[in-house]
Amino acid sequence: GAGVSQSPRYKVAKRGQDVALRCDPISGHVSLFWYQQALGQGPEFLTYFQNEAQLDKSGLPSDRFFAERPEGSVSTLKIQRTQQEDSAVYLCASSPSMDRSGNTIYFGEGSWLTVV
Amino acid sequence: KQEVTQIPAALSVPEGENLVLNCSFTDSAIYNLQWFRQDPGKGLTSLLLIQSSQREQTSGRLNASLDKSSGRSTLYIAASQPGDSATYLCAVRLRNEDSTLTFGKGTMLLVSP
């Protein structure tokens, strides 16, 4: 595709509900990143994939957060039993490079999650 | 833990002014530093990338400098335009193998016509 595509763009979830956020990276991009951006804050790293391998998940805030990229293209970030503090924009980014430096990195427009 | 601070948090200037955005980081052993732009409701667009061995990078009206030893970077915008209005984010990477970008909170810039 022309850019990184994320869906849904907006999601309102009731506390305790499970949500799934989808990311379609740029075709052929090897590296895929998830970031969480709370209101008024900078993005914070969640997890990183190289193809289908999840090489770094050190930023996932709890075991309620799970990410996968089973075929090395589309990725899904799943949040179980959502809490109010999970309200944020979830940004996906992809990069064509194999190394983690991601010098050329392209961000999607984000999925805006509000937990009520 | 690496911390990135951006000053000012918000800035409002009239069109045509030259301006400087500041970024500081606590761990000077960085691999590179990037400046991003974020428009409301949008993702991030990379503006400039400075490797740790470089002192500055330029792109059009934008110039970014890096002083690694003092843990500082500046983004200089010349002849500002209303279309420059956005939030500007600074991010550092510690090591080449490190997948993590550490971001500041950003500077929200408003350029009025």
Side-chain angles (χ1 to χ4, degrees):
Chain A
V4 178
S5 178
Q6 293 189 244
S7 61
R9 286 295 321 277
Y10 305 94
K11 174 71 178 178
V12 178
K14 292 183 178 179
R15 193 170 64 176
Q17 186 179 354
D18 297 350
V19 300
L21 308 177
R22 176 188 170 105
C23 173
D24 281 90
I26 294 173
S27 179
H29 278 197
V30 171
S31 299
L32 185 145
F33 308 81
W34 283 99
Y35 283 82
Q36 179 191 57
Q37 186 175 23
L39 189 64
Q41 305 294 314
E44 293 194 358
F45 172 79
L46 294 177
T47 187
Y48 161 73
F49 290 86
Q50 189 177 97
N51 295 309
E52 69 279 3
Q54 189 174 22
L55 299 187
D56 189 343
K57 55 181 180 179
S58 62
L60 296 176
S62 77
D63 58 7
R64 297 186 295 104
F65 286 72
F66 172 77
E68 60 182 4
R69 194 186 184 196
E71 298 179 356
S73 55
V74 172
S75 176
T76 303
L77 176 66
K78 297 178 179 178
I79 308 173
Q80 296 177 323
R81 305 181 303 282
T82 51
Q83 304 293 318
Q84 281 192 315
E85 61 263 28
D86 299 335
S87 296
V89 180
Y90 290 86
L91 295 166
C92 178
S94 70
S95 170
S97 58
M98 288 289 291
D99 65 70
R100 297 189 183 199
S101 64
N103 287 346
T104 306
I105 188 167
Y106 300 88
F107 280 83
E109 295 191 334
S111 289
W112 295 62
L113 173 65
T114 302
V115 181
V116 298
Chain B
K1 177 185 175 184
Q2 176 74 272
E3 292 184 3
V4 179
T5 303
Q6 291 189 245
I7 295 173
L11 181 63
S12 181
V13 299
E15 181 177 8
E17 274 203 8
N18 303 324
L19 55 99
V20 174
L21 308 181
N22 297 290
C23 172
S24 62
F25 43 95
T26 54
D27 186 342
S28 62
I30 63 169
Y31 179 71
N32 62 33
L33 181 146
Q34 278 184 279
W35 283 93
F36 292 86
R37 169 184 173 138
Q38 186 172 31
D39 292 280
K42 303 292 186 181
L44 281 67
T45 301
S46 180
L47 297 173
L48 290 165
L49 169 72
I50 311 177
Q51 302 291 356
S52 61
S53 58
Q54 297 175 322
R55 295 283 294 180
E56 65 178 333
Q57 283 287 330
T58 299
S59 176
R61 295 182 293 107
L62 305 180
N63 176 277
S65 67
L66 174 64
D67 184 341
K68 200 174 74 163
S69 61
S70 67
R72 294 181 182 182
S73 175
T74 61
L75 179 66
Y76 175 82
I77 303 177
S80 58
Q81 302 172 357
D84 295 331
S85 299
T87 296
Y88 291 81
L89 292 154
C90 166
V92 300
R93 185 183 308 280
L94 279 183
R95 295 172 296 275
N96 185 23
E97 68 275 13
D98 188 357
S99 53
T100 303
L101 283 173
T102 301
F103 285 85
K105 293 183 179 181
T107 294
M108 187 182 300
L109 173 65
L110 176 64
V111 181
S112 51

